Amino acid sequence: MKKTSLLLFLLLLAGFLFANGAGEDASETPAETPENQETVDDASSPGGLISTRKEALDTLASIGMTVFDEEIEAPDFTLSLLDGESRMLSDYRGKVVFLNFWATWCGPCRAEMPSMQGLYADLEDEDFVILAINQLEDPGVVREFLETEGFTFPVLMDENGQVSFQYGVRGIPTTYIIGPDGLVIAGKVGTHIYDGSIYRDLFRQLM
């Protein structure tokens, strides 16, 4: 099947965001909470073992991710790490990419990040990487946050919001799972806690 064009990607993405509620009016939030902050998904983790790709995709769907049927090639981009070194998404071809859009002020983002760190620590020597794309924040603020919390997965700085716009991000956290072939497997607007061996098994089946 032919991979989708960028225009079709954006159309499919719009449908994904609508299905996940990002196009709806924001629900009432505390005064200190930005309007586009998503709430934490506190659904319990799925049980059982994952031994096939189909089971992995079914599990992603069960935790609220939209699993894409079309062959959608993730748009490439170039962003800088906190040390200034540039990275392209295509640098990680051959790996499963957990692409997460976040900010330090976002409570639900902070809630899921310890589980992301655990996932990264367990799988970093395999064909898996987490790329956490920070939205529009000062690098010093982000660096202090990461050092305080002990997060070591790669963080890319989207200082002008261009990549967030490219990926249709309207609420954070937003996460995309991208396969080793560069195709978007699934996406989710909102938080999930990725604790437990089931998620390690899940991503291994997507490698």
Side-chain angles (χ1 to χ4, degrees), residues 37-56:
Q37 178 172 318
E38 294 293 326
T39 56
V40 175
D41 176 3
D42 59 1
S44 59
S45 298
L49 300 175
I50 296 178
S51 57
T52 66
R53 180 181 175 87
K54 182 180 185 304
E55 289 174 350

Side-chain angles (χ1 to χ4, degrees), residues 16-17 20-22 38-39 64 170-175 187-191:
F16 154 66
L17 291 169
N20 279 273
E38 294 293 326
T39 56
R170 297 180 63 187
I172 56 174
T174 289
T175 299
K188 176 181 175 64
V189 181
T191 301

